[in-house]
Amino acid sequence: MINGMQHLPSTEAAVTALRAIADEYALEIEVSHDVGADQTSRRSAAGVGVTTDPDGSLPHEAFAEFGGVPRVTVRLYPDDDALITVEGIECPDIPRDDVPAFLRSVFGGLAYVKARRFPPGYRLVVPLPGDRTHKEYVPMILLSPWLSGRVR
């Protein structure tokens, strides 16, 4: 634990945390793994047949899709960050250690959509520990029923 947060040193540890969250909220989860520099999305320049990074490590990336509403997917990158998509809204560059707290805010009902009158617009707001929040712009055309139900 670091500052009261669980430290997820590897992609596999992060996947284990995702499975625990799925159990906690009684959600189905489907996980796929990409292992090797030639398989991971951020290493497309690795070349054909090259599986390790220049330092000899074997990069491991995972993609998890949660069942139910809201629709949530998580792509865990080998670089200790993640891309979380909530109802089609991409939240990039989430530190791997913040992923469990982010998902608990979404599944636990703490996340909301903030409406702004002028200029008109919407933002998905996800509270995180330590009085931090993650905010992401939401185009009006992408307001799903789940997002619309959380507008403040």
Side-chain angles (χ1 to χ4, degrees), residues 10 20 31 43 47-48 50 56 70 93 100 107 115 118 128 144-145 149-150 152:
S10 68
V31 180
R43 307 249 187 346
V48 176
V50 177
D93 303 322
F107 295 133
F118 191 80
L128 297 171
S144 68
R150 275 140 192 85
R152 293 184 184 174

Side-chain angles (χ1 to χ4, degrees), residues 53-74:
D53 282 343
D55 65 359
S57 65
L58 191 63
H60 177 192
E61 183 174 293
F63 179 79
E65 186 171 4
F66 290 86
V69 177
R71 294 179 331 241
V72 175
T73 63
V74 178

Side-chain angles (χ1 to χ4, degrees), residues 33-110:
H33 297 269
D34 294 316
V35 180
D38 60 339
Q39 299 295 311
T40 57
S41 62
R42 289 189 175 166
R43 307 249 187 346
S44 58
V48 176
V50 177
T51 58
T52 59
D53 282 343
D55 65 359
S57 65
L58 191 63
H60 177 192
E61 183 174 293
F63 179 79
E65 186 171 4
F66 290 86
V69 177
R71 294 179 331 241
V72 175
T73 63
V74 178
R75 179 166 299 281
L76 297 164
Y77 296 109
D79 303 325
D80 292 337
D81 68 327
L83 166 67
I84 300 176
T85 304
V86 179
E87 288 290 313
I89 305 304
E90 290 188 350
C91 304
D93 303 322
I94 305 295
R96 185 183 294 166
D97 290 343
D98 283 345
V99 170
F102 187 104
L103 294 174
R104 283 188 177 95
S105 285
V106 170
F107 295 133
L110 298 175

Side-chain angles (χ1 to χ4, degrees), residues 5 17-18 22 26 32 44 47 64 66 79 92 98 102 105 124-125 131 137 149:
M5 293 188 337
L18 294 181
S32 61
S44 58
F66 290 86
D79 303 325
D98 283 345
F102 187 104
S105 285
L124 174 63
V125 180
D131 291 330
Y137 173 72

